[in-house]
Amino acid sequence: SIAIAFNNIQQQHSTTSFATSTVTSFSTMTTTSPTMTESTPTYLTKEEAAALDDEEFFKAYKEGRIQRREDAWTEENFEEQMEQHPLFMKKQPTKDDFQNNIHLQAMQDMFHELTPLERAEHHKSHGNDNYKKAQKHKKNKNTKAEKKYLREAVHVYTEGLREMCGDDKMESVLLSNRAMCHLLLNNNRSAFKDCSLATKYNPDNVKAYFRAAKACFNMAQCDESIVWCDRALSKDPTNLEATELRAKAAKKKATLEKEKRKREVMLRKKKQQQEKVKEAIKVREIRTCALEDNARLNDFAASKLNEDVNESDDEEEEKVVASLLPSGQHGPVLKDDELYWPVLLLYPEHSQSDFIQEFSESDTLKDHLNIMFPMSPSPSVPWDKENAYKAENMCVYFEVTGKDNVQTKQLVPINLDTPLCYILQDKDFCVFGDVVMLFAVVQGSSYQEAFLSNHTIRKIPASTPAHFK
């Protein structure tokens, strides 16, 4: 910004030829030593030297009548000195440079002597330069550099707004330009806010109306986009961009409304299906509870949720609810008057699990375990290093749920030939969060002994059917 300010000051004072003449003359000064006489030279005073024109000055210098300053540039250091001078710097100065370089400090003081409007104008020019650089990198498909310069442009336009120059048109342009960069960075909400404010400063800023419409279109707010397009066209009826965007917004609006109607139909069907499932569960007298009613299971589901959910960079985050169901899976469904349940089979010895999405209520555990753990010389799963998990060797339990919906550390061994519907109809069984949870261990293993030592086995009355051991 300082360099731009200085350049503009140069143009205002018509001194554009000074730097060129200085460089040319300096070359002569550094390559030609002053003609010195054997006698002590007589130097001109500062007042006498200041009164000379350029030609007389350099003639006097060659004759040795101008005393060279101790800190004057030499052939050995002139390149280094030029790099430290604001006129010839090739790199953007840092904060340390401003603290240690008197030339930069002087130019900074000159910049602050400008009016707020002049400083805002310089910030606008600097922001425009960064925007142009971003577009150049966009053509070269250098996304990283493009975003870097767009963010820099946003920063510079913001600096211009902080000048509070008091010129409504300048404020409107700075806001509108910043909105353009926000659009390219997909910051649509910020872009819309800038454009909305820009039109208040300058109601004739057509670009601000159009960019507001573009931001609304990107956020799928088609009605708002059409309104802003109409405002732009009321100011400039021949604006082709606004005309095309309005047509796109109208088309997108029709598409979104069609999709919305489809979703509503699907939701109605889904709700009707859910009501049928609830009725079927009620008729079968199966006990169900919400996941929130069991603190231990709810904490377990929440911990799994925290592992799966990533941070969202969108402006509106979707509300996510803890669930025992894997992502994208659903609860029980009713097909041909038969319930199909999601079953979570836990293997506590190895902290592993299997999820069966649709377990028919007429299927037995043996039906599924024979497929999952067949008798074979090699392990069915990678974590079964000892090849111990086979359908014929496994014991399956469910945990008793008390009247207060809390699991009681009591286990009920299940007969593997028992259909799932009979397990679910047991008075001590409860389905939490639409998922059937069962525990499986290897019969006769040391782990089974340790597992059972932490639980008690429910006593089964003699009248109980042979569904449970």
Side-chain angles (χ1 to χ4, degrees), residues 1-264:
S1 300
I2 302 300
I4 292 171
F6 191 83
N7 289 336
N8 286 337
I9 292 170
Q10 282 185 311
Q11 293 173 4
Q12 292 172 10
H13 290 80
S14 303
T15 59
T16 53
S17 63
F18 177 77
T20 305
S21 63
T22 301
V23 174
T24 305
S25 302
F26 177 75
S27 175
T28 306
M29 290 168 60
T30 55
T31 56
T32 305
S33 299
T35 304
M36 302 293 293
T37 63
E38 294 182 359
S39 60
T40 303
T42 303
Y43 297 118
L44 296 176
T45 64
K46 291 183 179 179
E47 292 76 11
E48 291 173 336
L52 300 176
D53 59 23
D54 289 349
E55 185 177 348
E56 292 172 338
F57 179 88
F58 286 112
K59 180 180 179 182
Y61 176 80
K62 290 180 181 181
E63 293 173 351
R65 294 188 293 123
I66 302 295
Q67 186 176 9
R68 175 181 289 192
R69 292 171 49 183
E70 294 181 359
D71 60 348
W73 295 4
T74 66
E75 293 183 33
E76 291 76 21
N77 72 0
F78 85 93
E79 290 185 354
E80 179 183 349
Q81 292 288 346
M82 287 182 68
E83 182 60 33
Q84 295 177 8
H85 197 287
L87 281 176
F88 310 111
M89 281 183 173
K90 297 178 181 178
K91 298 180 181 178
Q92 188 77 10
T94 64
K95 290 183 179 179
D96 292 337
D97 292 332
F98 277 96
Q99 292 175 357
N100 303 322
N101 191 314
I102 59 173
H103 302 296
L104 287 172
Q105 292 171 8
M107 292 193 67
Q108 193 172 37
D109 292 339
M110 291 172 61
F111 179 75
H112 288 301
E113 290 174 0
L114 300 175
T115 66
L117 179 58
E118 288 173 331
R119 292 199 295 269
E121 177 67 36
H122 296 325
H123 286 305
K124 186 193 80 169
S125 299
H126 191 191
N128 292 349
D129 289 340
N130 280 289
Y131 173 77
K132 291 174 183 176
K133 290 177 182 178
Q135 293 304 297
K136 182 178 179 180
H137 286 292
K138 182 179 181 180
K139 290 180 180 179
N140 296 332
K141 298 183 179 179
N142 188 343
T143 305
K144 185 176 180 180
E146 177 195 357
K147 289 185 177 181
K148 172 190 171 183
Y149 282 107
L150 286 173
R151 285 191 288 266
E152 180 63 24
V154 168
H155 171 73
V156 175
Y157 290 134
T158 303
E159 290 297 314
L161 290 166
R162 286 175 180 168
E163 296 292 346
M164 293 185 290
C165 65
D167 186 288
D168 287 349
K169 288 188 176 181
M170 176 58 70
E171 300 279 4
S172 182
V173 169
L174 288 169
L175 286 164
S176 179
N177 287 1
R178 188 172 70 173
M180 185 68 230
C181 296
H182 276 312
L183 282 173
L184 295 174
L185 289 168
N186 291 324
N187 300 330
N188 295 301
R189 195 169 297 279
S190 297
F192 176 76
K193 290 178 180 178
D194 278 353
C195 291
S196 180
L197 188 56
T199 58
K200 292 179 181 178
Y201 278 111
N202 181 10
D204 295 325
N205 190 339
V206 178
K207 289 183 178 179
Y209 289 112
F210 172 74
R211 289 166 185 170
K214 189 90 176 281
C216 291
F217 180 83
N218 292 344
M219 293 186 290
Q221 298 174 0
C222 297
D223 287 333
E224 286 293 313
S225 181
I226 292 172
V227 169
W228 284 96
C229 283
D230 288 342
R231 291 174 182 172
L233 291 170
S234 69
K235 302 293 181 181
D236 180 11
T238 62
N239 191 302
L240 184 60
E241 287 183 317
T243 303
E244 291 177 350
L245 182 60
R246 192 188 190 287
K248 287 182 180 179
K251 184 177 179 179
K252 187 173 183 178
K253 177 184 176 182
T255 302
L256 291 175
E257 288 177 348
K258 184 178 180 180
E259 291 176 353
K260 182 181 178 181
R261 289 192 295 270
K262 286 183 178 179
R263 285 197 302 272
E264 290 173 349

Side-chain angles (χ1 to χ4, degrees), residues 404-460:
D404 54 357
N405 296 330
V406 176
Q407 290 170 307
T408 61
K409 288 282 187 178
Q410 271 192 313
L411 295 176
V412 179
I414 302 172
N415 187 325
L416 298 184
D417 291 318
T418 303
L420 181 63
C421 60
Y422 291 114
I423 300 172
L424 302 182
Q425 288 172 335
D426 186 272
K427 63 181 181 63
D428 290 330
F429 191 90
C430 184
V431 178
F432 285 97
D434 292 332
V435 178
V436 177
M437 290 186 62
L438 304 172
F439 299 90
V441 297
V442 176
Q443 185 176 9
S445 65
S446 58
Y447 181 81
Q448 183 191 32
E449 183 179 350
F451 181 67
L452 294 179
S453 67
N454 294 324
H455 298 80
T456 59
I457 301 298
R458 186 186 70 176
K459 294 180 180 180
I460 303 175

Side-chain angles (χ1 to χ4, degrees), residues 228-328:
W228 284 96
C229 283
D230 288 342
R231 291 174 182 172
L233 291 170
S234 69
K235 302 293 181 181
D236 180 11
T238 62
N239 191 302
L240 184 60
E241 287 183 317
T243 303
E244 291 177 350
L245 182 60
R246 192 188 190 287
K248 287 182 180 179
K251 184 177 179 179
K252 187 173 183 178
K253 177 184 176 182
T255 302
L256 291 175
E257 288 177 348
K258 184 178 180 180
E259 291 176 353
K260 182 181 178 181
R261 289 192 295 270
K262 286 183 178 179
R263 285 197 302 272
E264 290 173 349
V265 171
M266 291 177 64
L267 286 173
R268 282 197 298 271
K269 289 182 179 179
K270 185 177 180 180
K271 188 175 181 180
Q272 292 172 357
Q273 182 68 15
Q274 289 174 343
E275 292 298 325
K276 291 180 180 179
V277 169
K278 287 180 181 179
E279 183 62 26
I281 292 173
K282 183 178 179 181
V283 168
R284 289 164 175 74
E285 297 182 346
I286 297 172
R287 183 180 169 194
T288 61
C289 293
L291 188 61
E292 297 79 23
D293 294 337
N294 187 307
R296 181 162 65 91
L297 285 178
N298 191 51
D299 290 343
F300 169 72
S303 67
K304 289 180 69 63
L305 177 67
N306 291 333
E307 293 175 1
D308 296 337
V309 173
N310 297 321
E311 293 185 2
S312 173
D313 57 354
D314 196 2
E315 294 162 344
E316 296 182 1
E317 295 184 2
E318 182 181 358
K319 185 178 179 181
V320 184
V321 181
S323 173
L324 292 172
L325 289 165
S327 177

